[in-house]
Amino acid sequence: DTAVSQTPKYLVTQMGNDKSIKCEQNLGHDTMYWYKQDSKKFLKIMFSYNNKELIINETVPNRFSPKSPDKAHLNLHINSLELGDSAVYFCASSQSNRFTEAFFGQGTRLTVV
Amino acid sequence: AQTVTQSQPEMSVQEAETVTLSCTYDTSESNYYLFWYKQPPSRQMILVIRQEAYKQQNATENRFSVNFQKAAKSFSLKISDSQLGDTAMYFCAFMKQNFGNEKLTFGTGTRLTIIP
């Protein structure tokens, strides 16, 4: 009964490939996020969606395209992968206007070789 | 833009001791929220404690408590009676009260090791 689940947990791929990471939450939240954690463990927001609408896009390259088919799902597609995209990507969810905690998935470790 | 600073990249303490992790932040907002998240080796991000800026009373959760100094923009985490399971990265995070546009701004983290 995982609250926020991401797949896959690990992803190894070659430069230039296109890959997707999927996220689902069963908490009934209306807001979902993608965060990136780099090799130095620094966490930074990439995107947020509220009720399927893109709210935050933090100067992320166009190669990254989030998609939210419904409130419970937020996927991240990455085109033309580069070495610098190697990181851990976290999906999270929260309920808007309550300012309570964001619940995080277990992260997807992406390694580009 | 908000910034969050954690000045201690690494700390270690003996089991059962008390340890304090420091966090300072910079903001011009008056309404905001502060969090401490724990990331054990499993990679899972786990909320430790949350503080509303409008509350003067410091938040506590069992062995975890904060010292929130709004004027100084300081938000330290105290862990009492530390346990081996407390070994983790600890992140301080800031969220401004921005309806429908919430996001967490994280510090760089403190790696805490509890020594048996």
Side-chain angles (χ1 to χ4, degrees), chain A:
Chain A
D1 289 10
T2 307
V4 181
S5 60
Q6 296 177 227
T7 53
K9 290 190 172 41
Y10 297 92
L11 188 51
V12 181
T13 187
Q14 289 188 321
M15 277 175 55
N17 284 350
D18 303 338
K19 289 294 178 186
S20 292
I21 306 170
K22 296 189 175 184
C23 179
E24 176 181 6
Q25 54 97 1
N26 63 7
L27 298 166
H29 291 160
D30 63 358
T31 304
M32 296 185 72
Y33 311 82
W34 282 110
Y35 285 85
K36 178 180 179 180
Q37 186 172 42
D38 64 21
S39 58
K40 295 185 179 176
K41 301 289 189 181
F42 183 61
L43 272 153
K44 190 170 173 1
I45 191 164
M46 300 173 69
F47 303 102
S48 78
Y49 270 76
N50 178 269
N51 285 314
K52 302 194 297 176
E53 182 185 349
L54 179 65
I55 303 296
I56 296 174
N57 181 345
E58 289 277 316
T59 59
V60 178
N62 291 341
R63 299 181 297 102
F64 291 78
S65 52
K67 280 195 173 56
S68 181
D70 56 56
K71 284 196 313 182
H73 295 84
L74 179 62
N75 303 322
L76 183 65
H77 187 76
I78 315 170
N79 289 328
S80 304
L81 278 154
E82 301 176 357
L83 293 177
D85 298 332
S86 294
V88 179
Y89 293 85
F90 284 96
C91 177
S93 75
S94 68
Q95 184 60 32
S96 63
N97 302 334
R98 291 193 189 165
F99 309 105
T100 54
E101 67 175 297
F103 288 81
F104 284 78
Q106 282 201 294
T108 296
R109 180 178 293 280
L110 171 65
T111 303
V112 183
V113 298

Side-chain angles (χ1 to χ4, degrees), chain B residues 8-21 38-41 79 82-90 110-116:
Chain B
Q8 305 149 313
E10 292 190 28
M11 296 187 73
S12 60
V13 294
Q14 293 289 140
E15 191 176 4
E17 288 186 350
T18 293
V19 61
T20 299
L21 309 183
K38 167 185 176 181
Q39 186 179 38
I79 306 174
S82 56
Q83 300 174 358
L84 296 180
D86 296 333
T87 292
M89 285 287 291
Y90 286 81
T110 296
R111 184 181 301 277
L112 176 65
T113 302
I114 308 300
I115 303 165

Side-chain angles (χ1 to χ4, degrees), chain B residues 25-63:
Chain B
Y25 58 94
D26 188 23
T27 185
S28 57
E29 304 287 332
S30 54
N31 296 321
Y32 53 89
Y33 301 80
L34 296 163
F35 304 81
W36 278 97
Y37 275 87
K38 167 185 176 181
Q39 186 179 38
S42 67
R43 207 166 68 201
Q44 182 71 50
M45 294 288 290
I46 303 163
L47 179 71
V48 175
I49 202 163
R50 170 181 175 266
Q51 174 81 42
E52 297 98 329
Y54 62 85
K55 286 189 178 178
Q56 290 189 339
Q57 187 173 5
N58 289 323
T60 62
E61 285 288 340
N62 301 314
R63 298 183 295 109

